[in-house]
Amino acid sequence: MTTRRQMLKSALLGGGATVVAATAMGSLGPEAAFAAAPPQPEPGVPDPDFAEGRIRSIRGNTLLVLGSNLVFHRIRVVDGTSLWKLGPVGFDEAKPGDGLYARGIRMPDGILAAESVWLNIVNIKGHVRNITSEKIHLDHNGQDVLCHVVPGKSVAMHSDAPPTADLSLLRVGQHVQILGAWRPDTNEVDIATVFSPH
Amino acid sequence: MVRSTPTPTDPIDLLAPVRGEVSWFCCGNAWGPCSSTGRGACGTCNSGSLQHAWPNTSDACWSITRPDRCGYSLSRRTCGFRHRTTSLCGGASVVTSIADCGPQTDLFCGERSCCGATCASDRLIDLTPAAYSRIASLSTGLRPCEISTA
């Protein structure tokens, strides 16, 4: 059986790396994709199959990314690459200036053939300083982060209850985790999920 | 559930794997809200490395995270110690080393995550993005897991 990783690798080596929308392969279930991951490198050291940084430019299907540690990455988006930006998106949603995390296969020439690219994704914890039907002001380590409710996208998870678009149960002063998409060069985030313990 | 059994003299991660919730956090002065995060309590934390935060790395750490308030007495483990985290949503696992203090377990006491009928309660470990993305998509944000010594 051909694994997702083998398919990505052959797509890149074969030169047939056309860019497609994230959902073109149907469900891109990460648990299924990562269950067949290869042996991992040593704990505590940088993972060669992972990249972090901001997009400097885009050439064809390759993202040129400068890491926060000043390491430069070339990230190839191929058939089957899953892209996320507040939800599954197509390659045209990737913009210079976006922050990203990417996981894939590091090729011999140094290019990362991407299985998954998460654009501007943040996962921050803090307490709710103020809340309206449209915004949550979050105190995150003393920083004020303005989190926007996005109709049709934002949901709340109250412990193990099903996700709900109704955020009205959230209260000022309570602690939450907000998963969302950062608006580059601002202190603002679009909300994907608010995790609340109650 | 492990949660009902531990006592303050009963370091559960030495006796058997423990179930809890796993999330992810950024570190290493990167983009966005991570710009002022720093390199964590051990001074080595980096989003791109296979590392984790543990709630009991020191007395000072314990006084912040307070997993005992949720019923846990986790063993003292210091910088560089290795744990294995296994997702209960598919079985993928990753071995990471301690690079920071966290998560703040007591602020989420009683929280529960499930994959179908498989659930786990309370936040006991945070992984770096590089580590978490080895066992689940970053977009999931929170997952039930099992933690053991590696």
Side-chain angles (χ1 to χ4, degrees):
Chain A
M1 182 179 154
T2 302
T3 67
R4 180 182 168 84
R5 293 177 65 85
Q6 288 169 331
M7 184 276 294
L8 284 165
K9 197 168 184 176
S10 64
L12 191 65
L13 291 173
T18 54
V19 177
V20 295
T23 53
M25 288 182 65
S27 172
L28 297 164
E31 269 83 24
F34 296 125
Q40 70 161 78
E42 274 291 291
V45 303
D47 185 339
D49 292 332
F50 184 86
E52 170 278 332
R54 294 187 72 176
I55 300 173
R56 297 297 296 266
S57 62
I58 301 171
R59 288 187 197 151
N61 57 2
T62 302
L63 305 172
L64 305 176
V65 172
L66 182 62
S68 299
N69 55 1
L70 302 182
V71 172
F72 199 74
H73 299 281
R74 290 173 294 159
I75 301 171
R76 183 74 49 83
V77 174
V78 299
D79 286 350
T81 300
S82 146
L83 292 104
W84 184 98
K85 196 178 198 179
L86 203 61
V89 295
F91 182 68
D92 57 349
E93 289 291 320
K95 310 288 186 195
D98 283 347
L100 65 71
Y101 299 112
R103 173 159 292 288
I105 305 166
R106 188 71 67 174
M107 307 305 289
D109 62 0
I111 290 176
L112 185 73
E115 291 177 321
S116 300
V117 178
W118 298 273
L119 297 162
N120 295 332
I121 192 168
V122 297
N123 193 33
I124 54 178
K125 295 157 192 141
H127 73 263
V128 177
R129 199 175 260 173
N130 196 13
I131 185 167
T132 69
S133 59
E134 297 169 345
K135 298 181 177 84
I136 296 173
H137 290 263
L138 189 73
D139 181 346
H140 168 65
N141 298 335
Q143 287 182 295
D144 186 36
V145 181
L146 181 57
C147 303
H148 298 270
V149 176
V150 181
K153 297 272 191 181
S154 303
V155 296
M157 296 269 294
H158 297 278
S159 200
D160 60 344
T164 173
D166 178 8
L167 275 58
S168 66
L169 291 177
L170 301 171
R171 294 286 177 258
V172 171
Q174 82 164 100
H175 218 77
V176 296
Q177 172 186 323
I178 293 184
L179 181 100
W182 175 56
R183 295 183 178 183
D185 300 315
T186 72
N187 66 336
E188 299 178 38
V189 166
D190 290 323
I191 299 170
T193 306
V194 183
F195 296 92
S196 167
H198 309 295
Chain B
M1 283 293 296
V2 175
R3 195 170 168 226
S4 61
T5 58
T7 69
T9 57
D10 188 10
I12 52 180
D13 75 338
L14 287 181
L15 300 177
V18 58
R19 287 190 171 189
E21 294 176 309
V22 56
S23 186
W24 62 269
F25 73 112
C26 65
C27 56
N29 297 333
W31 45 270
C34 197
S35 60
S36 59
T37 305
R39 299 209 171 272
C42 302
T44 59
C45 194
N46 188 327
S47 290
S49 296
L50 299 177
Q51 296 172 315
H52 68 278
W54 182 245
N56 189 8
T57 59
S58 66
D59 286 344
C61 173
W62 180 267
S63 70
I64 296 169
T65 61
R66 298 302 302 269
D68 56 313
R69 287 178 173 159
C70 304
Y72 294 91
S73 174
L74 300 173
S75 297
R76 173 70 49 85
R77 299 298 189 191
T78 54
C79 297
F81 186 86
R82 295 178 178 186
H83 285 106
R84 177 181 294 277
T85 304
T86 302
S87 168
L88 297 181
C89 311
S93 71
V94 64
V95 177
T96 52
S97 59
I98 294 176
D100 202 357
C101 166
Q104 281 193 254
T105 308
D106 64 332
L107 296 178
F108 293 87
C109 267
E111 184 184 53
R112 202 162 97 116
S113 299
C114 298
C115 278
T118 305
C119 301
S121 298
D122 297 315
R123 296 173 180 237
L124 300 183
I125 195 167
D126 267 353
L127 301 178
T128 57
Y132 189 95
S133 64
R134 278 194 164 262
I135 62 172
S137 170
L138 296 180
S139 62
T140 59
L142 186 69
R143 277 290 188 245
C145 73
E146 184 172 272
I147 306 159
S148 59
T149 54

